[in-house]
Amino acid sequence: DPMDFEWSYWIEWGRERILWLLAGHLLVSQVSRLLVEKYKPWCLMVYGMFACWLLLGIKGFTVILLHATISFAVAQFQMSLLTWLCSFILLSILRIPAVEEAKRKWYDSENEYYLLLFTVSVRCLFCTSFSLEYCWHGPAQKSSHSFLWMLAYVFYYPMFHNGPLMNFDEFSKQMRRQEAFSLKTNFGILIVGIIRIFFWWCLAELMIHFMYIHALYSSTPPLEAASYWTLGGLALAQVLFFYVKYLVLYGVPALLLQLDGLKPPALPCCVSLMHSFTKMWRSFDVGLHRFLVRYIYVPMGGSQSSLLGMLFSTALTFAFVSYWHGGQSYLWYWGALNWLGVIVENGVKRILSISLIQDLI
């Protein structure tokens, strides 16, 4: 069943080039940790730039470098609102039809254009994270928020094309930390990691080979003829495949982060263990959740504000997620339903925390 575009797309790119470039990153990382630990961030930055140039060409590389430069320039004003405005403008430019058409002409195939689109979308989040941290830190900490550090963060290759997301403050603290390095230990971690990822990959391939979940979803008659129990089973199968898929897509960069001496965001929790919208958002894409909480939810008031403030900050968070994913109508419905689920859960929790209700229980 080739109908899951994301899986087919990344597996094809992985086989062709990305896995080889990740192997090159691993080699550069281990050699730099062994010989020049102090200069490791800059060695990895140069390699990331080289890999970007190789895959996206000089024009794609220039676009990403331009995004980083503009974001850094705007961050100099140290105004969070201005930083967010810049991020939204850069993200919106990607969706202007004339700009899309111009970028398509840079490449021989749609797949190459989509690689640029996905990469730049993820880089927008990284640029936003760096710029907001720059706005929030005092003059004494500006040396750790230089343009060179921004490039090291933006061009860090394992998280370059598809994530996972790691906020700049976490990345810079961990990258600066110098730990005892053991090639033997890292080799053991690599072998175990490869075995686990290979198992997840085989499981995902078996699921799409035998279950045909996505082919069924792309055809209306079988869905209209199915019972509600069958539709429920198909929905569960869909999210289970989505979970296994991201164990692979996030598992590979997470393994490389670990070998680089960084602590990657936790891999997704199994959706069969989830019973709430809130837990799903906290536990599935941990890196994105941390980004949303740190840069949108908490600054807008979050759970510490009034009921109306909490509703607004939650709505704004889901609105951003929907817009960043593409802004199509179905994504707005998806975001609205998730927002409603989170609000209902929090409302029920507040009601159950009332002493009178607890006494009745």
Side-chain angles (χ1 to χ4, degrees):
D1 178 7
M3 297 302 292
D4 187 86
F5 169 77
E6 192 176 32
W7 178 257
S8 305
Y9 182 84
W10 289 117
I11 290 298
E12 186 182 338
W13 267 109
R15 284 171 178 162
E16 284 183 6
R17 291 190 188 177
I18 291 177
L19 278 179
W20 298 106
L21 288 171
L22 289 172
H25 169 93
L26 179 62
L27 182 65
V28 171
S29 167
Q30 299 309 294
V31 170
S32 61
R33 287 191 77 185
L34 197 63
L35 303 176
V36 283
E37 176 77 20
K38 188 180 176 182
Y39 300 103
K40 181 182 73 172
W42 321 125
C43 295
L44 297 181
M45 178 192 76
V46 170
Y47 180 83
M49 288 177 159
F50 164 75
C52 173
W53 191 312
L54 201 66
L55 272 188
L56 301 176
I58 180 64
K59 291 178 180 176
F61 172 78
T62 305
V63 167
I64 293 169
L65 190 60
L66 194 62
H67 272 235
T69 306
I70 292 168
S71 297
F72 186 77
V74 171
Q76 302 307 301
F77 293 98
Q78 293 189 282
M79 294 170 62
S80 298
L81 190 61
L82 201 60
T83 291
W84 271 115
L85 184 63
C86 172
S87 298
F88 274 111
I89 291 169
L90 291 174
L91 203 54
S92 301
I93 288 170
L94 297 176
R95 290 156 197 177
I96 297 171
V99 175
E100 286 183 336
E101 203 56 42
K103 287 178 180 175
R104 273 190 170 92
K105 290 175 182 175
W106 296 350
Y107 301 106
D108 297 326
S109 67
E110 282 284 292
N111 274 4
E112 289 176 293
Y113 163 71
Y114 280 126
L115 186 65
L116 174 67
L117 184 65
F118 297 148
T119 304
V120 175
S121 297
V122 175
R123 292 309 92 200
C124 275
L125 296 184
F126 278 69
C127 289
T128 304
S129 174
F130 176 89
S131 299
L132 289 171
E133 294 294 342
Y134 186 95
C135 292
W136 295 347
H137 286 79
Q141 295 167 301
K142 289 299 180 239
S143 61
S144 60
H145 292 75
S146 64
F147 185 60
L148 207 57
W149 267 105
M150 184 183 197
L151 293 180
Y153 176 55
V154 169
F155 284 99
Y156 181 70
Y157 194 68
M159 302 186 288
F160 192 67
H161 298 294
N162 194 41
L165 185 58
M166 181 187 279
N167 295 339
F168 177 72
D169 60 325
E170 297 172 44
F171 176 83
S172 61
K173 282 174 191 171
Q174 292 178 35
M175 190 60 85
R176 289 169 188 278
R177 189 177 61 221
Q178 295 186 9
E179 296 177 330
F181 172 69
S182 168
L183 206 58
K184 187 180 177 181
T185 305
N186 268 14
F187 184 72
I189 293 169
L190 177 65
I191 296 301
V192 172
I194 288 172
I195 292 167
R196 290 177 72 194
I197 292 164
F198 181 72
F199 170 76
W200 296 330
W201 174 75
C202 288
L203 182 58
E205 288 290 341
L206 284 169
M207 288 174 82
I208 58 172
H209 186 73
F210 288 111
M211 295 173 76
Y212 291 87
I213 316 152
H214 306 93
L216 283 166
Y217 270 118
S218 63
S219 180
T220 310
L223 297 178
E224 288 177 339
S227 67
Y228 289 126
W229 278 106
T230 305
L231 290 174
L234 283 170
L236 179 60
Q238 171 87 344
V239 293
L240 283 170
F241 176 77
F242 193 76
Y243 158 67
V244 175
K245 172 170 71 177
Y246 269 88
L247 283 179
V248 177
L249 296 183
Y250 279 178
V252 174
L255 175 60
L256 289 172
L257 261 75
Q258 198 177 352
L259 294 168
D260 287 349
L262 308 180
K263 185 182 179 183
L267 292 177
C269 279
C270 180
V271 290
S272 294
L273 302 176
M274 304 290 177
H275 63 273
S276 78
F277 283 93
T278 310
K279 189 180 177 185
M280 176 67 94
W281 277 96
R282 283 178 182 166
S283 311
F284 194 86
D285 192 335
V286 176
L288 180 61
H289 175 258
R290 287 175 183 167
F291 177 93
L292 296 171
V293 169
R294 182 167 175 81
Y295 301 121
I296 302 176
Y297 185 69
V298 171
M300 294 309 298
S303 58
Q304 302 304 313
S305 60
S306 63
L307 179 61
L308 199 63
M310 192 197 75
L311 289 171
F312 177 70
S313 53
T314 311
L316 207 61
T317 303
F318 281 109
F320 174 77
V321 171
S322 301
Y323 182 72
W324 179 74
H325 274 89
Q328 291 90 345
S329 57
Y330 73 89
L331 287 166
W332 291 111
Y333 295 136
W334 167 72
L337 287 169
N338 275 277
W339 173 77
L340 191 62
V342 169
I343 292 304
V344 168
E345 283 175 4
N346 279 290
V348 170
K349 281 180 185 176
R350 289 193 177 202
I351 291 167
L352 293 177
S353 66
I354 298 169
S355 56
L356 180 63
I357 301 294
Q358 286 193 344
D359 290 342
L360 285 170
I361 290 170

